[in-house]
Amino acid sequence: MNVDGTVKAIKEMEIRGAGRIARAASAALSEFVSSKEWKNIDEMRKDVLKAKDKLISSRPTAVSLLNAVQYTMKGFDASVNVKDAANLIIKNSAEFVSASDEAVSKIGVIGSRRIKDNATVMTHCNSSAALECIKEAHRNGKKIKVYATESRPWRQGILTVNELAKEGIDVTLIVDSAVRSVMRKVDIVLVGADTITSNGSVINKIGTSQLALAANESNVPFVVCSETYKISPQTLFGDTVTIEERDINEIVRKGEVHESVKVFNPVFDSTPPGYIDAIVTELGIISPGSVYEIMMRQFGDVTFS
Ligand code: RI2
C-alpha cells in the first residue's frame, strides 16, 4: 500500500494494533522509494522526510510506529545517491518486518509457558502478541478458557473472540465493566502494549489499567506481551506519551446526548510498573524494572531529534 493509503488506513483503524501499524508504515516507506524516481538525493530526501512525517503523525500514542519508521530510515541521512538510499530503505524495511513478525512468534512461545493447563485467561482489546501466547498454549495441548473484554468503543474484543474461536479455544465475551466481577475466576491476565516507558509503565488500550487493578486485588498475575520496539527511548529524556483522543462519534450517535454534554474519548491508559508482574518480550521475560536496561541494549545507537 502507498504512503497516503497507509496513513488513511491507520487513521481510520482499518490497519490497527501497535505491531501491525509499525509493519505497515515501514512497508509503505519501502513501497514509496521503490515506486518513485528522483533526479537527485536532495529531492528524494525532501519527499522521504515528508512521507516519514505523515506516517509518524497518523497515530500519536504507539511508539512502535515511530521506532519502525526510524529503523527503516537508519543510515538514510548519510546516503549520497538515490539508488543506494532506496536500496537501504528497502533492506531496512524487509529486516524490520521480518524481525517484527518473528518477535511475535517468539513472544508466543515464551508467554505460552506462563499459561498452565486448565488455566482461565483474561485479555483486553486485540493484541496479536497476547493472543499468540494463548494460541501457542492451545497448540501445545493445554486446555484454556479465555475471557475477552468487548473493548469499547471500537469493540476490538469481537475480533479477539472470533480469532480465538476459529482456533477452537473456549472463549467468552464480557463487557468492560464485568472485569472485576469475573476476575475471581481468572488465573492470569495477558494484554498487549502500544508503548512502554523508561520507568516500566505500559500504555495500552483504555481500560487496561482497570484489569491491572482488579488483577492486583485478586492476586492474579498481570502480564504484558510486547515486542521490545514498543519501548519508548524518548520517555527517558522526559517526553511523556501522548494519549490519543478520538472522535466523540465513536461513543455517541449525533443528537443522542444533550448539546451541553461533553464527551471524552481517550483511547489508551497507563498502567504503572507496580501493577505489572512480567513483560514477555522476544528476548525473554523481563520485569518492568529492567526496561531501562533493555532500552539501552536495543536503542543505544539511536539519536533523538
Ligand atoms: P499488538 C492496540 O491498539 C491495542 O491497544 C493492543 O493491545 C495494542 O495495540 C497492541 O497490539 P489499537 O490499534 O501489537 O487497537 O500486540 O488502538 O497487536
Side-chain angles (χ1 to χ4, degrees), residues 273-289:
Y275 288 88
I276 300 165
D277 291 283
I279 304 175
V280 185
T281 76
E282 72 279 13
L283 303 176
I285 292 184
I286 62 166
S287 71

Side-chain angles (χ1 to χ4, degrees), residues 17 19 60 70 95 97 145 153 156 160 162-163 168 190-191 197-198 206 220-221 275 290:
Q70 279 186 338
E95 250 171 45
V97 172
K145 193 173 157 59
Q156 290 97 328
T160 293
N162 286 334
E163 204 174 319
L190 293 173
V191 296
T197 68
S198 60
I206 190 80
V220 173
Y275 288 88
S290 25

Side-chain angles (χ1 to χ4, degrees), residues 13 16-20 59 124-130 156 192-194 204-205 225 227 230 267-268:
M13 306 268 288
R16 46 143 305 280
R20 287 191 199 95
R59 282 196 82 186
H124 186 51
C125 197
N126 179 252
S127 154
S128 38
Q156 290 97 328
D194 287 80
N204 193 49
K205 183 59 52 190
C225 308
E227 303 89 318
K230 292 176 184 168
V267 183
F268 301 100

Side-chain angles (χ1 to χ4, degrees), residues 24-200:
S26 175
L29 272 180
S30 176
E31 197 275 342
F32 186 59
V33 297
S34 318
S35 60
K36 217 171 144 38
E37 280 177 12
W38 288 275
K39 281 196 227 86
N40 61 59
I41 187 77
D42 292 332
E43 269 182 32
M44 178 192 201
R45 196 160 278 140
K46 245 196 283 160
D47 283 356
V48 170
L49 291 179
K50 235 189 264 164
K52 170 194 170 187
D53 289 344
K54 273 196 217 168
L55 286 163
I56 288 174
S57 58
S58 59
R59 282 196 82 186
T61 300
V63 77
S64 51
L65 181 61
L66 175 64
N67 285 342
V69 168
Q70 279 186 338
Y71 186 96
T72 307
M73 293 190 53
K74 218 168 159 183
F76 177 71
D77 285 350
S79 302
V80 287
N81 70 65
V82 172
K83 195 161 173 263
D84 288 352
N87 286 338
L88 182 79
I89 286 182
I90 294 165
K91 177 180 142 287
N92 286 348
S93 170
E95 250 171 45
F96 177 81
V97 172
S98 100
S100 162
D101 282 333
E102 206 183 302
V104 175
S105 307
K106 282 185 186 160
I107 288 169
V109 172
I110 298 167
S112 69
R113 297 185 182 133
R114 293 297 285 256
I115 305 174
K116 296 199 176 91
D117 194 18
N118 289 310
T120 299
V121 181
M122 184 182 281
T123 191
H124 186 51
C125 197
N126 179 252
S127 154
S128 38
L131 295 192
E132 192 52 32
C133 300
I134 298 170
K135 290 181 195 167
E136 180 65 15
H138 173 73
R139 288 194 283 264
N140 290 336
K142 291 180 187 168
K143 212 166 156 272
I144 304 161
K145 193 173 157 59
V146 178
Y147 283 102
T149 55
E150 182 189 11
S151 311
R152 283 265 297 149
W154 266 84
R155 305 182 78 221
Q156 290 97 328
I158 303 294
L159 299 172
T160 293
V161 291
N162 286 334
E163 204 174 319
L164 295 179
K166 270 189 209 133
E167 301 270 330
I169 296 169
D170 176 351
V171 59
T172 306
L173 181 70
I174 55 170
V175 294
D176 300 326
S177 45
V179 161
R180 185 165 177 255
S181 69
V182 172
M183 193 58 80
R184 59 197 161 76
K185 302 180 186 171
V186 172
D187 298 302
I188 185 167
V189 176
L190 293 173
V191 296
D194 287 80
T195 293
I196 301 179
T197 68
S198 60
N199 75 332

